[in-house]
């Protein structure tokens, strides 16, 4: 049992929790809770499991299959609360490999529906967006530089498992991807406060790219220069904008609705 | 200038930040930042302003009108960081009266579109829902017991000002309100994983109630007994549910879309 906070594995887990740089260097990240760890196992990403002493003694909640198939370590409750990022911990945590996707596969996906993020900064928003994109049946989420780190513990949690299933990629320049999508014959719509068309008047039935911008400033002028049309979500009352995850959801689900209806 | 943490006003502000009970007892709450305080002033809710010494010295960002029309106190920077709930404070904070709405006015609103929340627990979700409801042109947000406290600092922030404009009410039993809406001739739809109809096949054009349930458990069985139809949002991939604020947004904006289109 690991019962010291100076244990090297403990130190590594804390670095993976707190440092994006260390996550990138190792291509690993931390996921917590039985559900997320089971998802990590299903997707082939799970590397190792850490379980708190009291949870291990109860045991009944932990699938036997996980303990048989993956290396695990027991951790004293005190040390576990130290390595967990959550306030009310489930007492089980896993190290997982970061999923890797290929841009060609993403661009060739038969659904032809891509969500592009230009500088979305809030970790919770990013996780919720990935979760919603999976639900709405998007091909992938493509993130420009400046977008929050998907492997931040808060982001991982708010994906509710989508991080192990939904294709994504960080692009060094999303305008390259936008050009690629347009060259393949699809429109790329950018959400804006002042749109040239309402979001529900855009046609998503044959496939499309949808760009969501930064929480405070929207899509950058540079990226706006590459899109097909600005789309706007009508807003009543005195609000100036919608939350970025909400705006993404409204447009992605309108696209899904049109594609179900065929018009 | 207030420079002691034991000052009675400082103690009161901290109680208003931290204790729902004290907020309810006094019918007051705290709002932070110039934008939110300006909204509070516009809506007639603002009571008093507290400004950090260094912000007051810079001054240019604070509208003169606010300082002329409302009582204010200067607070030392150290004490201000103590009373602020935000990590990067704007150095200005206000005490505001809780807006009060009348259930008859809410039920008689000419838009006839009501959002009902059955036990939504996450403060951030609740704030985002109020903000989205304003944007989507809903009549009001009606909250059942168990719903998070709208005057929680995190919720207030995530409304982005909607808290000062969007009508809302806490109902001791939302089934009473559901019955009322139905007796007035409107359908009340409840979101569910297994719906009897897809959310976009429900008709919102004449007006409707929309019920959103708890993040983990959805709408309670008791409340489900009162609705007209269960509606579901189709989900692809492996996700089990959508975030509550996302689900609310998707349905409210589908209603708004139908009402613009007239069908």
């Amino acid at each position: 049992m690991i019962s010291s906070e100076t244990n090297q594995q403990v130190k590594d887990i804390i670095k993976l929790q707190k440092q994006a740089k260390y996550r990138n260097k190792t291509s690993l990240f931390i996921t917590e809770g039985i559900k997320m760890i089971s998802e990590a196992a299903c997707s082939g990403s799970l590397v190792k499991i850490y379980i708190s002493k009291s949870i291990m003694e109860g045991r009944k909640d932990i699938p036997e299959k996980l303990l048989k198939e993956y290396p695990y370590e027991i951790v004293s409750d005190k040390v576990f609360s130290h390595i967990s990022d959550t306030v009310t911990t489930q007492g089980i945590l896993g190290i997982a490999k970061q999923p890797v996707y290929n841009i060609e596969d993403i661009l060739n996906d038969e659904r032809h529906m891509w969500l592009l993020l230009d500088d979305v900064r809030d970790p919770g928003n990013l996780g919720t967006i990935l979760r919603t994109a999976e639900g709405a049946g998007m091909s992938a989420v493509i993130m420009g530089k400046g977008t929050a780190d998907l492997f931040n513990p808060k982001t991982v949690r708010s994906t509710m498992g989508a991080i192990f299933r939904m294709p994504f990629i960080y692009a060094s320049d999303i305008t390259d991807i936008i050009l690629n999508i347009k060259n393949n014959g699809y429109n790329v719509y950018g959400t804006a406060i002042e749109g040239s068309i309402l979001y529900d008047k855009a046609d998503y039935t044959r496939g499309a790219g949808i760009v969501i911008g930064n929480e405070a400033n929207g899509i950058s002028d540079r990226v706006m220069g590459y899109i097909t049309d600005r789309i706007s979500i009508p807003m009543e009352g005195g609000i100036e904008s919608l939350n970025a995850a909400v705006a993404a959801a409204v447009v992605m689900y309108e696209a899904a609705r049109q594609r179900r209806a065929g018009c």
Side-chain angles (χ1 to χ4, degrees), chain A:
Chain A
M1 186 173 81
I2 299 175
S3 53
S4 163
E5 293 185 5
T6 59
N7 176 291
Q8 191 54 47
Q9 294 183 64
V10 168
K11 286 183 178 170
D12 281 349
I13 291 169
I14 289 170
K15 270 171 89 177
L16 287 174
Q17 291 278 33
K18 296 199 172 157
Q19 298 179 20
K21 217 171 170 179
Y22 190 63
R23 289 192 290 266
N24 284 339
K25 191 182 138 197
T26 55
S27 298
L28 297 172
F29 68 108
I30 303 294
T31 186
E32 297 197 43
I34 299 255
K35 258 196 178 170
M36 292 290 279
I37 287 170
S38 301
E39 293 282 353
C42 283
S43 71
S45 300
L46 190 57
V47 174
K48 187 163 182 179
I49 309 172
Y50 293 82
I51 308 168
S52 77
K53 185 164 173 287
S54 62
I55 295 295
M56 192 62 190
E57 280 162 2
R59 193 146 184 165
K60 63 182 190 303
D61 292 340
I62 308 171
E64 276 301 319
K65 204 167 171 297
L66 280 178
L67 301 181
K68 271 190 198 142
E69 294 181 7
Y70 294 90
Y72 66 89
E73 299 266 3
I74 313 300
V75 180
S76 75
D77 288 8
K78 186 159 170 283
V79 172
F80 199 94
S81 74
H82 186 61
I83 60 174
S84 172
D85 184 71
T86 59
V87 182
T88 49
T89 180
Q90 284 191 40
I92 182 164
L93 170 158
I95 297 183
K97 283 182 287 189
Q98 299 185 1
V100 176
Y101 299 91
N102 179 297
I103 187 67
E104 277 74 38
D105 293 344
I106 281 176
L107 290 174
N108 290 328
D109 182 83
E110 59 183 9
R111 287 166 294 188
H112 314 304
M113 284 298 308
W114 302 275
L115 186 71
L116 299 109
L117 305 181
D118 181 23
D119 214 20
V120 169
R121 292 285 173 90
D122 182 82
N125 277 345
L126 178 59
T128 302
I129 286 173
L130 201 78
R131 176 183 179 187
T132 311
E134 185 183 9
M138 303 294 286
S139 300
V141 176
I142 298 155
M143 295 170 284
K145 270 186 178 163
T147 303
D149 178 14
L150 197 51
F151 302 103
N152 173 307
K154 194 181 171 193
T155 310
V156 172
R157 267 200 301 287
S158 52
T159 70
M160 296 289 277
I163 197 165
F164 296 113
R165 297 179 304 251
M166 182 68 197
F168 61 82
I169 202 160
Y170 280 91
S172 53
D173 188 344
I174 62 166
T175 63
D176 291 341
I177 314 289
I178 293 174
L179 281 177
N180 236 308
I181 294 173
K182 285 166 69 179
N183 285 341
N184 289 343
Y186 303 100
N187 287 335
V188 177
Y189 300 111
T191 52
I193 301 299
E194 308 254 317
S196 47
I197 47 173
L198 289 185
Y199 78 101
D200 58 305
K201 300 300 175 199
D203 180 3
Y204 310 91
T205 53
R206 295 183 329 100
I210 299 164
V211 189
I212 301 290
N214 175 267
E215 285 87 348
N217 308 312
I219 298 173
S220 63
D221 289 343
R222 200 178 79 83
V223 171
M224 271 300 191
Y226 288 83
I227 63 167
T228 316
D229 270 309
R230 287 173 194 243
I231 55 171
S232 66
I233 302 173
M235 289 181 291
E236 299 195 33
I239 68 166
E240 291 176 7
S241 67
L242 293 170
N243 165 283
V246 161
V250 167
V251 180
M252 289 191 287
Y253 264 99
E254 169 59 14
R257 188 195 67 78
Q258 287 187 12
R259 289 158 68 90
R260 274 198 310 282
C263 60

